[in-house]
Amino acid sequence: MEESVAFDMLSELTASLAEAGGEITSEPMSESQMGNSHADFLIDARFFDAPLKLVVEVKRSAFPRDVREAIWQLKKYIAAMPPGNSRVLPLLMADTISPGARALLREEKIGYFDRSGSLYLSADNLFVLVEKPASKQQARSLNNLFVGSRAMALHAVWTFKDQWFGVHELAERASVSPTTASQVLIELERREWVSSKGAGPSKERILSNPRALLDEWSSYVASIKPKPLRSYYMRMTNIDEAIREIDRICDETGVRYEISGLMAGQIHAPHLSKISQIHCRIDHGGESLLRKLGAKAVKEGWNLGVIDSNPRHDFLFANGSVMSGSQIHFKPTSISCSLTAVAQRNWPTIFG
């Protein structure tokens, strides 16, 4: 990291410490050496009249794998320090720290600060937690996995489930370049969502933390503006009958579609007593399908919502139907993300 950027971050950190009730008692030291160990900065501070020495490691961005390395470096440095009167607290400072990395740092009682202004310190009789939303630049850094061709590669990783796979296998399955596939896998390793074996061209990975992948993907989906929904009303005796009719017409006309939202979740895990609306993505030919269904565009009282789709992305990994042979698709990754987004945006309505 450029020295000027590190010092800018240091200035922001000292300001945040002061806002949290701390007082910087001397000029921070940079590039401190202790035996074979190194610290980027040492900061002498005082919280509630208790002296405190912060040992700071600086990273440009921090994901779980980066954090484990930083924790080891910080602990090694502190272990080599001579005894003193101040409590010593390790702290990781970075432009961006991922949610998984923050959780790991809190678990290890390691402080952190990033350029959103988020700050965490934990020691005897001291606890500071300031959580601030990520800036647009930080959000792009954290979420670039979930958009475009990288999202296609990420989804393909999910489809391998408990199978080992290589870069070229991933690229072929996701219809992306080997370069994109390789970049995605490097990011997944930093997040500790995959395990690896081998090296070079024969290196293979396997999905090892699917829950963390889904949690962060769902959080991303909930944070963005939802895709436009066109609302229609179609005559139906019940919702299962409506889905069968959609399936029948799509099967006859060769139109691909995908049920999403609450109805798709209900098919995977039938825990809701009543659902009155269908959310659906439709490939090319959707207007013809709507005419054959007798669906009328309405603003209120709709029971069929059509989500604008990207055929290249939305139907790449379509699964077979539980109701018929080939046309209706339910992807657990999409369902998990869409249900989380629905719940977060409509929590009082759904669960209140």
Side-chain angles (χ1 to χ4, degrees):
M1 176 180 290
E2 295 178 7
E3 186 175 314
S4 60
V5 175
F7 276 94
D8 286 344
M9 291 172 61
L10 176 65
S11 177
E12 294 167 13
L13 169 60
T14 55
S16 292
L17 291 170
E19 288 179 8
E23 176 189 356
I24 307 304
T25 57
S26 65
E27 189 71 19
M29 291 176 55
S30 62
E31 299 292 333
S32 176
Q33 198 79 20
M34 192 65 64
N36 294 325
S37 303
H38 165 89
D40 291 303
F41 295 105
L42 293 180
I43 302 174
D44 287 314
R46 184 177 294 276
F47 272 86
F48 311 112
D49 294 326
L52 185 71
K53 187 179 290 289
L54 294 173
V55 180
V56 182
E57 175 86 2
V58 181
K59 296 282 187 184
R60 179 171 293 280
S61 60
F63 293 91
R65 190 178 68 176
D66 312 310
V67 161
R68 291 190 193 278
E69 178 186 342
I71 290 173
W72 180 80
Q73 292 284 0
L74 286 164
K75 289 183 175 180
K76 182 181 177 184
Y77 182 93
I78 291 172
M81 292 176 68
N85 296 324
S86 300
R87 286 181 299 173
V88 178
L89 281 184
L91 184 140
L92 175 69
M93 180 170 69
D95 185 273
T96 304
I97 304 176
S98 75
R102 293 186 188 198
L104 179 56
L105 288 164
R106 289 194 296 266
E107 181 181 321
E108 294 287 334
K109 296 290 193 293
I110 306 291
Y112 62 75
F113 173 79
D114 76 9
R115 301 195 80 173
S116 70
S118 296
L119 174 67
Y120 168 76
L121 295 172
S122 181
D124 294 339
N125 301 318
L126 173 65
F127 183 80
V128 176
L129 179 60
V130 179
E131 292 283 10
K132 295 188 177 181
S135 67
K136 289 183 178 179
Q137 182 179 351
Q138 289 174 316
R140 283 194 296 271
S141 172
L142 292 171
N143 297 326
N144 61 7
L145 269 179
F146 307 120
V147 294
S149 58
R150 290 191 173 203
M152 294 165 62
L154 184 63
H155 200 153
V157 168
W158 179 272
T159 67
F160 282 102
K161 298 182 180 178
D162 57 355
Q163 298 175 348
W164 290 92
F165 59 91
V167 168
H168 290 281
E169 291 174 279
L170 177 62
E172 182 178 355
R173 182 169 295 192
S175 298
V176 300
S177 70
T179 299
T180 297
S182 179
Q183 290 171 344
V184 167
L185 290 174
I186 290 170
E187 289 298 311
L188 295 184
E189 286 186 339
R190 291 184 70 193
R191 287 166 167 81
E192 297 185 337
W193 294 350
V194 296
S195 299
S196 63
K197 66 179 181 179
S202 63
K203 186 174 183 178
E204 292 184 311
R205 278 87 164 186
I206 190 170
L207 181 62
S208 57
N209 196 345
R211 178 179 292 276
L213 185 158
L214 276 182
D215 284 347
E216 286 205 29
W217 202 340
S218 298
S219 295
Y220 166 71
V221 170
S223 72
I224 62 175
K225 184 178 179 180
K227 290 184 177 180
L229 181 78
R230 291 179 287 140
S231 52
Y232 297 87
Y233 176 80
M234 60 177 288
R235 288 172 147 311
M236 64 172 77
T237 303
N238 58 63
I239 202 160
D240 289 337
E241 178 189 285
I243 291 178
R244 290 191 182 91
E245 183 65 6
I246 292 171
D247 186 61
R248 182 186 66 79
I249 295 174
C250 284
D251 194 41
E252 290 176 354
T253 58
V255 174
R256 295 182 302 173
Y257 77 101
E258 177 183 271
I259 301 297
S260 183
L262 292 175
M263 189 63 226
Q266 178 78 345
I267 290 172
H268 277 283
H271 299 310
L272 297 176
S273 58
K274 183 179 180 181
I275 297 175
S276 59
Q277 294 172 330
I278 301 170
H279 291 75
C280 183
R281 291 184 179 87
I282 304 175
D283 198 358
H284 299 302
E287 296 305 320
S288 173
L289 167 65
L290 293 170
R291 284 196 300 271
K292 291 182 179 181
L293 288 171
K296 306 295 183 183
V298 295
K299 292 184 178 180
E300 297 179 352
W302 61 275
N303 56 14
L304 174 62
V306 177
I307 304 165
D308 287 347
S309 64
N310 181 326
R312 181 173 178 238
H313 292 184
D314 291 338
F315 301 103
L316 183 61
F317 304 107
N319 294 328
S321 168
V322 295
M323 298 180 69
S324 74
S326 61
Q327 296 301 321
I328 182 169
H329 312 297
F330 305 101
K331 299 198 292 280
T333 46
S334 299
I335 294 167
S336 175
C337 292
S338 64
L339 289 181
T340 301
V342 168
Q344 291 188 17
R345 294 183 184 124
N346 305 282
W347 187 271
T349 303
I350 300 174
F351 300 104

